[in-house]
CSV table of all heavy atoms in Angstrom, one decimal:
chain,number,residue,atom,x,y,z
A,20,TRP,N,94.3,100.3,56.9
A,20,TRP,CA,94.7,99.4,57.9
A,20,TRP,C,96.2,99.3,58.2
A,20,TRP,O,96.6,98.8,59.2
A,20,TRP,CB,94.2,97.9,57.7
A,20,TRP,CG,94.3,97.3,56.4
A,20,TRP,CD1,93.4,97.2,55.4
A,20,TRP,CD2,95.5,96.7,55.8
A,20,TRP,NE1,93.9,96.6,54.3
A,20,TRP,CE2,95.2,96.2,54.5
A,20,TRP,CE3,96.8,96.5,56.3
A,20,TRP,CZ2,96.2,95.6,53.7
A,20,TRP,CZ3,97.8,95.8,55.6
A,20,TRP,CH2,97.4,95.4,54.3
A,21,GLN,N,97.0,99.8,57.3
A,21,GLN,CA,98.5,99.8,57.5
A,21,GLN,C,98.9,100.5,58.8
A,21,GLN,O,99.8,100.0,59.5
A,21,GLN,CB,99.2,100.4,56.3
A,21,GLN,CG,100.7,100.1,56.3
A,21,GLN,CD,101.0,98.7,56.2
A,21,GLN,OE1,100.5,98.0,55.4
A,21,GLN,NE2,101.9,98.2,57.1
A,22,PRO,N,98.3,101.6,59.2
A,22,PRO,CA,98.8,102.2,60.4
A,22,PRO,C,98.6,101.3,61.7
A,22,PRO,O,99.4,101.3,62.6
A,22,PRO,CB,97.9,103.5,60.6
A,22,PRO,CG,97.6,103.8,59.1
A,22,PRO,CD,97.4,102.5,58.4
A,23,TYR,N,97.5,100.5,61.7
A,23,TYR,CA,97.3,99.6,62.7
A,23,TYR,C,98.4,98.5,62.7
A,23,TYR,O,98.9,98.1,63.8
A,23,TYR,CB,95.9,98.9,62.6
A,23,TYR,CG,94.8,99.8,62.7
A,23,TYR,CD1,93.9,100.1,61.7
A,23,TYR,CD2,94.5,100.5,63.9
A,23,TYR,CE1,92.8,100.9,61.8
A,23,TYR,CE2,93.4,101.4,64.0
A,23,TYR,CZ,92.6,101.6,63.0
A,23,TYR,OH,91.5,102.5,63.1
A,24,VAL,N,98.7,98.0,61.6
A,24,VAL,CA,99.8,97.0,61.4
A,24,VAL,C,101.1,97.5,61.9
A,24,VAL,O,101.9,96.9,62.6
A,24,VAL,CB,99.8,96.5,59.9
A,24,VAL,CG1,101.1,95.6,59.7
A,24,VAL,CG2,98.6,95.8,59.6
A,25,ASP,N,101.5,98.7,61.4
A,25,ASP,CA,102.7,99.4,61.8
A,25,ASP,C,102.8,99.5,63.4
A,25,ASP,O,103.8,99.3,64.0
A,25,ASP,CB,102.9,100.7,61.2
A,25,ASP,CG,103.1,100.6,59.6
A,25,ASP,OD1,103.4,99.5,59.2
A,25,ASP,OD2,102.9,101.6,58.9
A,26,SER,N,101.7,99.9,63.9
A,26,SER,CA,101.6,100.1,65.4
A,26,SER,C,101.9,98.8,66.1
A,26,SER,O,102.6,98.7,67.1
A,26,SER,CB,100.3,100.7,65.8
A,26,SER,OG,100.2,100.8,67.2
A,27,MET,N,101.3,97.7,65.6
A,27,MET,CA,101.5,96.4,66.2
A,27,MET,C,102.9,95.9,66.1
A,27,MET,O,103.5,95.4,67.1
A,27,MET,CB,100.5,95.4,65.5
A,27,MET,CG,99.1,95.6,65.7
A,27,MET,SD,98.5,95.0,67.3
A,27,MET,CE,98.2,93.3,66.9
A,28,HIS,N,103.5,96.1,65.0
A,28,HIS,CA,104.9,95.7,64.9
A,28,HIS,C,105.8,96.5,65.8
A,28,HIS,O,106.8,96.0,66.4
A,28,HIS,CB,105.4,95.9,63.4
A,28,HIS,CG,105.0,94.7,62.5
A,28,HIS,ND1,105.5,93.5,62.7
A,28,HIS,CD2,104.2,94.7,61.4
A,28,HIS,CE1,105.0,92.7,61.7
A,28,HIS,NE2,104.2,93.4,61.0
A,29,HIS,N,105.6,97.8,65.9
A,29,HIS,CA,106.4,98.7,66.8
A,29,HIS,C,106.2,98.2,68.2
A,29,HIS,O,107.2,98.1,69.0
A,29,HIS,CB,105.9,100.1,66.6
A,29,HIS,CG,106.7,101.1,67.5
A,29,HIS,ND1,108.0,101.4,67.3
A,29,HIS,CD2,106.3,101.7,68.7
A,29,HIS,CE1,108.4,102.3,68.3
A,29,HIS,NE2,107.3,102.4,69.1
A,30,PHE,N,105.0,97.9,68.6
A,30,PHE,CA,104.7,97.5,70.0
A,30,PHE,C,105.4,96.2,70.3
A,30,PHE,O,105.9,96.0,71.4
A,30,PHE,CB,103.2,97.5,70.3
A,30,PHE,CG,102.9,97.0,71.6
A,30,PHE,CD1,103.0,97.8,72.8
A,30,PHE,CD2,102.4,95.7,71.8
A,30,PHE,CE1,102.7,97.3,74.0
A,30,PHE,CE2,102.0,95.2,73.1
A,30,PHE,CZ,102.2,96.1,74.2
A,31,LEU,N,105.3,95.3,69.4
A,31,LEU,CA,105.8,93.9,69.7
A,31,LEU,C,107.3,93.8,69.5
A,31,LEU,O,107.9,92.7,69.7
A,31,LEU,CB,105.1,92.9,68.8
A,31,LEU,CG,103.7,92.6,69.1
A,31,LEU,CD1,103.0,91.7,68.1
A,31,LEU,CD2,103.6,91.9,70.5
A,32,ALA,N,108.0,94.8,69.1
A,32,ALA,CA,109.5,94.7,68.8
A,32,ALA,C,110.2,94.3,70.1
A,32,ALA,O,111.1,93.5,70.0
A,32,ALA,CB,110.0,96.1,68.4
A,33,ALA,N,109.7,94.7,71.3
A,33,ALA,CA,110.4,94.3,72.5
A,33,ALA,C,110.1,92.8,72.9
A,33,ALA,O,110.7,92.3,73.7
A,33,ALA,CB,109.9,95.2,73.7
A,34,TYR,N,109.1,92.2,72.2
A,34,TYR,CA,108.7,90.8,72.4
A,34,TYR,C,109.4,89.9,71.4
A,34,TYR,O,109.1,88.7,71.4
A,34,TYR,CB,107.2,90.7,72.4
A,34,TYR,CG,106.5,91.4,73.5
A,34,TYR,CD1,106.1,92.7,73.4
A,34,TYR,CD2,106.1,90.7,74.6
A,34,TYR,CE1,105.5,93.3,74.5
A,34,TYR,CE2,105.5,91.3,75.7
A,34,TYR,CZ,105.1,92.6,75.6
A,34,TYR,OH,104.5,93.2,76.6
A,35,ASP,N,110.2,90.4,70.5
A,35,ASP,CA,110.8,89.5,69.5
A,35,ASP,C,111.5,88.4,70.3
A,35,ASP,O,112.2,88.6,71.3
A,35,ASP,CB,111.9,90.3,68.7
A,35,ASP,CG,111.2,91.2,67.6
A,35,ASP,OD1,110.0,90.9,67.3
A,35,ASP,OD2,111.9,92.0,67.1
A,36,ASP,N,111.5,87.2,69.7
A,36,ASP,CA,112.0,86.0,70.4
A,36,ASP,C,113.5,86.2,70.7
A,36,ASP,O,113.9,85.9,71.9
A,36,ASP,CB,111.8,84.8,69.5
A,36,ASP,CG,110.4,84.3,69.4
A,36,ASP,OD1,109.5,85.1,69.7
A,36,ASP,OD2,110.1,83.2,69.1
A,37,LYS,N,114.3,86.7,69.8
A,37,LYS,CA,115.7,86.9,70.1
A,37,LYS,C,115.9,87.9,71.2
A,37,LYS,O,116.8,87.7,72.0
A,37,LYS,CB,116.4,87.3,68.8
A,37,LYS,CG,116.5,86.2,67.8
A,37,LYS,CD,117.4,86.6,66.6
A,37,LYS,CE,117.5,85.5,65.6
A,37,LYS,NZ,118.3,86.0,64.4
A,38,VAL,N,115.2,88.9,71.2
A,38,VAL,CA,115.3,89.9,72.3
A,38,VAL,C,115.0,89.3,73.6
A,38,VAL,O,115.7,89.5,74.6
A,38,VAL,CB,114.4,91.1,72.0
A,38,VAL,CG1,114.4,92.1,73.2
A,38,VAL,CG2,114.8,91.9,70.7
A,39,GLN,N,113.9,88.6,73.7
A,39,GLN,CA,113.5,87.9,75.0
A,39,GLN,C,114.5,86.9,75.4
A,39,GLN,O,114.8,86.8,76.6
A,39,GLN,CB,112.1,87.3,74.8
A,39,GLN,CG,111.0,88.3,74.7
A,39,GLN,CD,110.8,89.0,76.0
A,39,GLN,OE1,110.7,88.5,77.1
A,39,GLN,NE2,110.7,90.4,75.9
A,40,GLU,N,115.1,86.1,74.5
A,40,GLU,CA,116.1,85.1,74.8
A,40,GLU,C,117.4,85.8,75.4
A,40,GLU,O,118.0,85.2,76.3
A,40,GLU,CB,116.4,84.2,73.6
A,40,GLU,CG,115.2,83.3,73.2
A,40,GLU,CD,115.5,82.7,71.9
A,40,GLU,OE1,116.5,83.0,71.3
A,40,GLU,OE2,114.6,81.9,71.5
A,41,GLU,N,117.7,86.9,74.9
A,41,GLU,CA,118.9,87.6,75.3
A,41,GLU,C,118.8,88.3,76.7
A,41,GLU,O,119.7,88.3,77.5
A,41,GLU,CB,119.3,88.7,74.3
A,41,GLU,CG,119.8,88.1,73.0
A,41,GLU,CD,120.1,89.2,71.9
A,41,GLU,OE1,119.8,90.4,72.2
A,41,GLU,OE2,120.5,88.8,70.8
A,42,LYS,N,117.6,88.8,76.9
A,42,LYS,CA,117.4,89.6,78.1
A,42,LYS,C,116.7,88.9,79.3
A,42,LYS,O,117.0,89.2,80.4
A,42,LYS,CB,116.6,90.9,77.8
A,42,LYS,CG,117.2,91.9,76.9
A,42,LYS,CD,116.4,93.1,76.7
A,42,LYS,CE,117.1,94.2,75.9
A,42,LYS,NZ,116.3,95.4,75.7
A,43,ASN,N,115.9,88.0,79.0
A,43,ASN,CA,115.1,87.3,80.0
A,43,ASN,C,115.3,85.8,80.1
A,43,ASN,O,116.0,85.2,79.3
A,43,ASN,CB,113.6,87.7,79.8
A,43,ASN,CG,113.3,89.2,79.9
A,43,ASN,OD1,114.0,89.9,80.6
A,43,ASN,ND2,112.3,89.7,79.2
A,44,ILE,N,114.7,85.2,81.1
A,44,ILE,CA,114.9,83.8,81.4
A,44,ILE,C,113.7,83.0,81.2
A,44,ILE,O,112.6,83.5,81.2
A,44,ILE,CB,115.4,83.6,82.9
A,44,ILE,CG1,114.3,84.0,83.9
A,44,ILE,CG2,116.7,84.4,83.1
A,44,ILE,CD1,114.6,83.6,85.3
A,45,GLU,N,113.8,81.7,81.0
A,45,GLU,CA,112.7,80.8,80.9
A,45,GLU,C,112.2,80.5,82.4
A,45,GLU,O,113.0,80.2,83.2
A,45,GLU,CB,113.1,79.5,80.2
A,45,GLU,CG,113.4,79.7,78.8
A,45,GLU,CD,113.6,78.4,78.1
A,45,GLU,OE1,113.2,77.3,78.6
A,45,GLU,OE2,114.2,78.3,77.0
A,46,CYS,N,110.9,80.6,82.6
A,46,CYS,CA,110.4,80.4,83.9
A,46,CYS,C,109.5,79.1,83.9
A,46,CYS,O,109.1,78.6,82.9
A,46,CYS,CB,109.6,81.6,84.3
A,46,CYS,SG,110.6,83.1,84.5
A,47,VAL,N,109.1,78.7,85.1
A,47,VAL,CA,108.2,77.6,85.3
A,47,VAL,C,106.7,78.1,85.2
A,47,VAL,O,106.3,78.9,85.9
A,47,VAL,CB,108.4,76.9,86.7
A,47,VAL,CG1,107.4,75.8,86.9
A,47,VAL,CG2,109.8,76.5,86.8
A,48,SER,N,106.0,77.6,84.2
A,48,SER,CA,104.7,78.0,83.9
A,48,SER,C,103.7,77.5,85.1
A,48,SER,O,104.0,76.5,85.7
A,48,SER,CB,104.2,77.4,82.6
A,48,SER,OG,102.9,77.7,82.3
A,49,GLY,N,102.7,78.3,85.3
A,49,GLY,CA,101.7,77.9,86.3
A,49,GLY,C,101.9,78.2,87.7
A,49,GLY,O,101.1,77.9,88.6
A,50,GLN,N,103.0,79.0,88.0
A,50,GLN,CA,103.2,79.4,89.4
A,50,GLN,C,103.9,80.8,89.4
A,50,GLN,O,104.6,81.2,88.5
A,50,GLN,CB,104.1,78.4,90.1
A,50,GLN,CG,105.5,78.2,89.5
A,50,GLN,CD,106.4,77.1,90.2
A,50,GLN,OE1,105.9,76.0,90.4
A,50,GLN,NE2,107.6,77.5,90.6
A,51,TYR,N,103.6,81.5,90.5
A,51,TYR,CA,104.2,82.8,90.6
A,51,TYR,C,105.7,82.7,90.7
A,51,TYR,O,106.3,81.8,91.2
A,51,TYR,CB,103.7,83.5,91.9
A,51,TYR,CG,102.2,83.8,91.9
A,51,TYR,CD1,101.4,83.2,92.9
A,51,TYR,CD2,101.6,84.6,90.9
A,51,TYR,CE1,100.0,83.4,92.9
A,51,TYR,CE2,100.2,84.8,91.0
A,51,TYR,CZ,99.4,84.2,91.9
A,51,TYR,OH,98.1,84.5,92.0
A,52,PHE,N,106.4,83.8,90.1
A,52,PHE,CA,107.8,83.8,90.2
A,52,PHE,C,108.2,84.8,91.2
A,52,PHE,O,108.4,86.0,91.0
A,52,PHE,CB,108.3,84.3,88.8
A,52,PHE,CG,109.9,84.3,88.7
A,52,PHE,CD1,110.6,83.5,89.5
A,52,PHE,CD2,110.5,85.2,87.8
A,52,PHE,CE1,112.0,83.5,89.4
A,52,PHE,CE2,111.9,85.2,87.7
A,52,PHE,CZ,112.6,84.4,88.5
A,53,ILE,N,108.3,84.3,92.4
A,53,ILE,CA,108.6,85.2,93.6
A,53,ILE,C,110.1,85.2,93.8
A,53,ILE,O,110.7,84.2,93.9
A,53,ILE,CB,107.8,84.6,94.9
A,53,ILE,CG1,106.3,84.6,94.6
A,53,ILE,CG2,108.2,85.5,96.1
A,53,ILE,CD1,105.5,84.0,95.7
A,54,GLN,N,110.6,86.4,93.9
A,54,GLN,CA,112.1,86.6,94.1
A,54,GLN,C,112.3,87.3,95.4
A,54,GLN,O,111.8,88.4,95.6
A,54,GLN,CB,112.6,87.5,92.9
A,54,GLN,CG,112.3,86.8,91.5
A,54,GLN,CD,112.8,87.6,90.4
A,54,GLN,OE1,114.0,87.9,90.2
A,54,GLN,NE2,111.8,88.1,89.5
A,55,GLY,N,113.2,86.7,96.2
A,55,GLY,CA,113.6,87.3,97.4
A,55,GLY,C,114.8,88.2,97.3
A,55,GLY,O,115.0,88.8,96.3
A,56,GLY,N,115.5,88.4,98.4
A,56,GLY,CA,116.7,89.2,98.4
A,56,GLY,C,116.3,90.7,98.8
A,56,GLY,O,115.1,91.0,99.0
A,57,ASN,N,117.3,91.5,98.7
A,57,ASN,CA,117.1,92.9,99.0
A,57,ASN,C,116.2,93.6,97.9
A,57,ASN,O,116.4,93.2,96.8
A,57,ASN,CB,118.5,93.6,99.1
A,57,ASN,CG,118.4,95.0,99.6
A,57,ASN,OD1,117.8,95.9,99.0
A,57,ASN,ND2,119.0,95.2,100.8
A,58,GLU,N,115.4,94.5,98.4
A,58,GLU,CA,114.4,95.1,97.4
A,58,GLU,C,115.2,95.9,96.3
A,58,GLU,O,114.6,96.2,95.3
A,58,GLU,CB,113.4,95.9,98.1
A,58,GLU,CG,114.0,97.2,98.8
A,58,GLU,CD,112.8,98.0,99.4
A,58,GLU,OE1,111.7,97.7,99.2
A,58,GLU,OE2,113.2,99.0,100.0
A,59,SER,N,116.4,96.3,96.6
A,59,SER,CA,117.2,97.1,95.6
A,59,SER,C,117.9,96.2,94.6
A,59,SER,O,118.4,96.7,93.6
A,59,SER,CB,118.2,97.9,96.3
A,59,SER,OG,119.2,97.1,97.0
A,60,GLU,N,117.9,94.9,94.8
A,60,GLU,CA,118.5,94.0,93.8
A,60,GLU,C,117.7,93.9,92.5
A,60,GLU,O,116.5,93.9,92.5
A,60,GLU,CB,118.7,92.6,94.4
A,60,GLU,CG,119.6,92.5,95.6
A,60,GLU,CD,119.7,91.1,96.1
A,60,GLU,OE1,119.1,90.2,95.5
A,60,GLU,OE2,120.4,90.9,97.2
A,61,GLU,N,118.4,93.8,91.4
A,61,GLU,CA,117.8,93.7,90.1
A,61,GLU,C,117.0,92.4,90.0
A,61,GLU,O,117.6,91.3,90.3
A,61,GLU,CB,118.8,93.9,89.0
A,61,GLU,CG,118.1,93.8,87.6
A,61,GLU,CD,119.1,94.1,86.5
A,61,GLU,OE1,119.9,95.0,86.6
A,61,GLU,OE2,119.1,93.4,85.4
A,62,LYS,N,115.8,92.4,89.6
A,62,LYS,CA,115.0,91.2,89.5
A,62,LYS,C,115.0,90.6,88.1
A,62,LYS,O,115.2,91.4,87.1
A,62,LYS,CB,113.5,91.5,89.8
A,62,LYS,CG,113.4,92.2,91.2
A,62,LYS,CD,113.9,91.4,92.3
A,62,LYS,CE,113.7,92.1,93.6
A,62,LYS,NZ,114.3,91.4,94.8
A,63,LYS,N,115.0,89.3,88.0
A,63,LYS,CA,114.9,88.7,86.7
A,63,LYS,C,113.5,88.7,86.1
A,63,LYS,O,112.5,88.8,86.9
A,63,LYS,CB,115.4,87.2,86.8
A,63,LYS,CG,116.8,87.1,87.3
A,63,LYS,CD,117.2,85.6,87.5
A,63,LYS,CE,118.7,85.5,87.9
A,63,LYS,NZ,119.1,84.1,88.1
């Protein structure tokens, strides 16, 4: 079962709380996050 565990940790590395706090924002739960502006603008 260790290979499954290792795979899970590898996949979830991008979801680490610190990584998410550094790169992404807190959003309002329960509603779509619709972002306007030019389609070439980087989205949050």
Side-chain angles (χ1 to χ4, degrees):
W20 48 258
Q21 191 62 49
Y23 296 115
V24 171
D25 293 342
S26 176
M27 292 279 277
H28 279 295
H29 178 74
F30 177 73
L31 287 174
Y34 292 86
D35 284 345
D36 287 19
K37 289 185 178 180
V38 173
Q39 289 292 310
E40 290 169 358
E41 290 174 359
K42 292 185 175 182
N43 296 331
I44 65 171
E45 293 187 16
C46 297
V47 179
S48 179
Q50 64 184 46
Y51 297 119
F52 184 28
I53 300 173
Q54 303 179 62
N57 192 293
E58 66 176 357
S59 64
E60 293 179 6
E61 183 174 317
K62 307 301 181 184
K63 297 178 180 179

